[in-house]
Amino acid sequence: MARETHNVGGNKAELRQWLETRRKSLDSSRLPFESLWRELKSHFEPYLGRALDPNNPDDRLASREDDKIYNTEPRILLHRMGAGLQSGITNQARQWFKLDVIDKRFASNSTVRSWLDKTTEAIQGAMNRSNIYPALDQLYLHLAQFGTAVALIVPDDKAIVHAHVIDAGAYWIAADRRGRVTTLLRRMDMTAEQLRDEFGDGWLPDTIKQRLEAGQNEENHVVYNLVCPHDPDRFPDIREDRMFASVYWLDGTQADKNDGILAIRSYGYNPIIAPRWQLFGSPYGVGPGYLGLADSKMLQA
């Protein structure tokens, strides 16, 4: 399950051009949903979907956006629904999943049963030590309000796994022919110091290093991360058994090193979690927030 990091080889300018083309294509697919998401956030929970605002992340967090909410009942019901989904589906206080075998002939084998029980217990312990349950709380809120929720599950040195919940407006997704989400683009605001901690000095452009030397550690930089199925022709340095590729790059023109590409990583599994409430021919879902939007507007009026 370990994450691998690979060198930026080959034609970096060509790779960067392909990444920007993918970003524009994914952006055009999400664009029709953005106006609906803005309405949903302003009438239910304004602290979800703040990434739809292109302003500085510190400005977004410091601003108040609930000026359209005069009656908090829809907001309370949203949080009540999220809590209900958590307690009813993935309740941390009880065993809500159990490993089993497809071939029932092995189910009665004591050795197989012992291995399954011990592995189930190990997975439960890993989830308890990680941030999975707090992340699920956030995922259920996003799912109820927007109809789509997205997180990235990555290895963690201390807790085995870590879930990055991605705010609505900071992600773009695409699905395969079976409707499974296999492509994720996310936008992150990272300080210069966070960039150095995540990618190391060797990957950083000279302009970022100069800001760090000058003490401008808290200045934010926009980083994009594309996670997609591994294409051996495009990523020849990634082993064939690594199913997904993950590329990080800085927004804007970065000609001094690697064309702004910060890292190429890979996963042996699909790290994308993207539940959708209901689908109607799009990778983005429609949920209870959409159904209750008119009632919420009427209540506020």
Side-chain angles (χ1 to χ4, degrees), residues 123-197:
I123 294 174
Q124 288 176 325
M127 293 179 67
N128 288 332
R129 293 192 300 273
S130 72
N131 74 325
I132 292 295
Y133 287 105
L136 287 171
D137 282 331
Q138 292 296 312
L139 280 173
Y140 289 137
L141 284 177
H142 279 84
L143 183 62
Q145 178 158 306
F146 299 109
T148 304
V150 174
L152 195 66
I153 306 296
V154 300
D156 185 85
D157 295 335
K158 295 181 179 179
I160 301 180
V161 293
H162 185 84
H164 293 282
V165 179
I166 309 171
D167 192 17
Y171 66 78
W172 297 257
I173 57 175
D176 63 11
R177 62 187 178 88
R178 292 185 174 90
R180 298 171 300 192
V181 174
T182 55
T183 299
L184 164 68
L185 174 67
R186 59 171 174 157
R187 186 185 69 238
M188 300 174 287
D189 296 291
M190 301 182 70
T191 65
E193 190 164 1
Q194 289 171 341
L195 287 170
R196 180 173 59 186
D197 291 343

Side-chain angles (χ1 to χ4, degrees), residues 241-258:
D241 62 329
R242 307 293 286 181
M243 298 169 56
F244 283 80
S246 176
V247 188
Y248 295 80
W249 74 97
L250 281 164
D251 188 28
T253 303
Q254 303 287 340
D256 58 346
K257 179 174 288 188
N258 293 336

